[in-house]
Amino acid sequence: MAKVAIVYHSGFGHTKVLAEAVARGASSVDGTVVDLISVADAEAKADTINAADAIIFGSPTYMGSVSGPFKTWADTTAKVWFGQGWKDKIAAGFTNSSGPSGDKFSTIAYLWTLAMQHSMIWVSQGVMVGTKQGDVTLNRLSSWGGVMATSENAAPGESNPSKDDQASGFGLGARVATLASKLKG
Amino acid sequence: MAKVAIVYHSGFGHTKVLAEAVARGASSVDGTVVDLISVADAEAKADTINAADAIIFGSPTYMGSVSGPFKTWADTTAKVWFGQGWKDKIAAGFTNSSGPSGDKFSTIAYLWTLAMQHSMIWVSQGVMVGTKQGDVTLNRLSSWGGVMATSENAAPGESNPSKDDQASGFGLGARVATLASKLKG
Amino acid sequence: MAKVAIVYHSGFGHTKVLAEAVARGASSVDGTVVDLISVADAEAKADTINAADAIIFGSPTYMGSVSGPFKTWADTTAKVWFGQGWKDKIAAGFTNSSGPSGDKFSTIAYLWTLAMQHSMIWVSQGVMVGTKQGDVTLNRLSSWGGVMATSENAAPGESNPSKDDQASGFGLGARVATLASKLKG
Amino acid sequence: MAKVAIVYHSGFGHTKVLAEAVARGASSVDGTVVDLISVADAEAKADTINAADAIIFGSPTYMGSVSGPFKTWADTTAKVWFGQGWKDKIAAGFTNSSGPSGDKFSTIAYLWTLAMQHSMIWVSQGVMVGTKQGDVTLNRLSSWGGVMATSENAAPGESNPSKDDQASGFGLGARVATLASKLKG
């Protein structure tokens, strides 16, 4: 039974919609326990995160990287870093912003950098750009290191971020849960 | 009279179309001498490049960064690097690939890294995402560190990369030439 | 008369020592007005920052990038970003952490990314690795995009970060002030 | 029985010394088949690489990223990329240059980017900075995403790169082989 924690920040709710899609994807893998944790609660839920087999990081891209609240939480993980408590856990990441490119690569690269400091194992998105899956298109934005989404400047909802990008998020959650289960043996 | 050298690699001609747009932009600034140099000729034209006030780097994004031919040329600049011969020159960059994001940020970030090793001064694209200019849209892909373009998997031509992205390239050329002229005093 | 603002965060005081060295360097250039501003005061001093010709960003490297307080401030600059109020200003950066490499490149690359979003002009460190200058060695750590320093896990002071790295910071301040003055004409 | 391929470029032999240390580390894990492949031979040995469970990438850092020969080979992997033939293989990386930081982070980040395009799984160095192991110090340079080494400007040999950095390389090889074996089940 693999445990997957998703730790995310969402300023206006769009990244939360994406995080929920990631959580559904992880939950779709039999025997996976999924914890969806806002960074606001993440210090209080440190035991849950520390007990996970995989941690998926999510943040909007603000001014070219993860948001201030996400980074502030990341800094608090220096405590567990000191003892390398997340060593060999699986990691992955996702981000959302309004533009097609919009420095989202910088955010994903930072999430990888954070995971590396924690001696984790990083999982790629694992989907060819523009892969059709029923009605949706996976990896629409040609991202590889993690899932990128775009959202309209409107209220978050079931199509904002787009169903395409939510499906990409679902796929990442499922991919991480599958690998976590396999590594747990 | 400012001198702007544009050093680029183009595998199938799309990045060359973009490079030519950058050159037209630089030439549009009164009193600018522009040299458009393929990496295949760049070692032979080292004197021209070394005499420029600004060097604009361009490469397709292949497998997540600049192309092999571009990088091979970049390595040859270790000679001028050793004497810091490009110190205080202006630098900027552009890239092209097929997807919206497609790790083009990684390519632009590398071009900046190269310029930094040469102690240069790096100029941003300087255009808000989605800026309308007559019939075209500048910075369509929400890039900041340099110009990003996409091209269709078809022959390069006057609309491939798109006129939008060529206009962004033109703008970068003009921006660099203007600053080079100003710094030259 | 060029105005240089240095906006920095310092968790334990080491990065502040480095920031002060940068400020001394900028002040060493005749006719430069220097404002040294902690991120804690930066929103209150937004008018000063917005009026500067150059902004130098400084942050410790925490968990692989700028600190949470620095990033939280960077996010607040979205307001001025929206109107591109820092366009064409000069930018540069510095960082400090305990290890020789320690992902400090990631921090400098982020500071550049931030400056690019603001359509600024980024100045390299501009010093060959291991350059001797009297008693000190500049660019000891082989950094190019900005100044990197290391500090001992002890109280900050006149030799912590090392005098070498403080001299590198001084050099960056002077380099930025000189260019700002030149561009101002 | 896990198969580990190490694909590297070495200009003057220093990175080869490091690559051999990585190979010894991988071979130290029971039942591991190790192939140490220079990029000059990598196209000819594509079948071996494609059959591996893990691929470890190694390159000197030249002008701020992987070398031209390494990147030229990376571009040839677009063929296998098109069919995503390396999907779910394990990846890791190492680099060498003369300086302590020297933009080696940029090289490691590129090797990760390459692995991501191939939908691989990236393994961190997994060693706390400055870890003592008998006579040697692992992760001397405070790197996390991969192994960084420095070499003296002298002939490569059993102490150049240093024994510390070779031991870090050995550790990376062993770590990758262990994970490859575990994932193979």
Side-chain angles (χ1 to χ4, degrees), chain D residues 23 51 66 79 84 106 113 118 158 177:
Chain D
V66 293
K79 277 172 290 188
Q84 292 283 285
S106 165
T113 302
H118 282 293
E158 65 173 29

Side-chain angles (χ1 to χ4, degrees), chain A residues 6-20:
Chain A
I6 301 159
V7 184
Y8 74 97
H9 172 247
S10 184
F12 301 94
H14 303 90
T15 305
K16 187 182 182 192
V17 170
L18 185 59
E20 290 167 343

Side-chain angles (χ1 to χ4, degrees), chain A residues 85-129:
Chain A
W86 292 357
K87 187 177 173 185
D88 297 341
K89 288 187 196 299
I90 295 168
F94 59 90
T95 189
N96 177 68
S97 71
S98 59
S101 172
D103 296 348
K104 281 193 280 279
F105 180 94
S106 164
T107 300
I108 297 291
Y110 171 66
L111 296 175
W112 166 75
T113 303
L114 174 64
M116 292 300 100
Q117 293 231 351
H118 282 293
S119 295
M120 300 172 83
I121 296 164
W122 183 269
V123 182
S124 56
Q125 177 165 189
V127 175
M128 196 65 175
V129 54

Side-chain angles (χ1 to χ4, degrees), chain A residues 13 21 39 47 59 68 72 93 99 115-116 127 132 137 150-151 163 177 182:
Chain A
V39 288
D47 289 351
S59 171
T72 298
M116 292 300 100
V127 175
K132 301 291 179 187
T137 301
T150 60
S151 57
K163 293 197 172 182
K182 191 172 179 185

Side-chain angles (χ1 to χ4, degrees), chain C residues 73-123:
Chain C
W73 169 71
D75 289 0
T76 70
T77 70
K79 277 173 290 189
V80 70
W81 169 85
F82 197 75
Q84 291 284 286
W86 292 356
K87 188 177 173 184
D88 297 341
K89 288 187 197 299
I90 295 167
F94 59 90
T95 189
N96 177 67
S97 70
S98 59
S101 171
D103 295 348
K104 282 193 279 278
F105 180 94
S106 165
T107 300
I108 297 290
Y110 171 66
L111 296 175
W112 167 74
T113 302
L114 174 63
M116 292 299 100
Q117 293 232 352
H118 282 293
S119 294
M120 299 172 84
I121 296 164
W122 184 269
V123 181

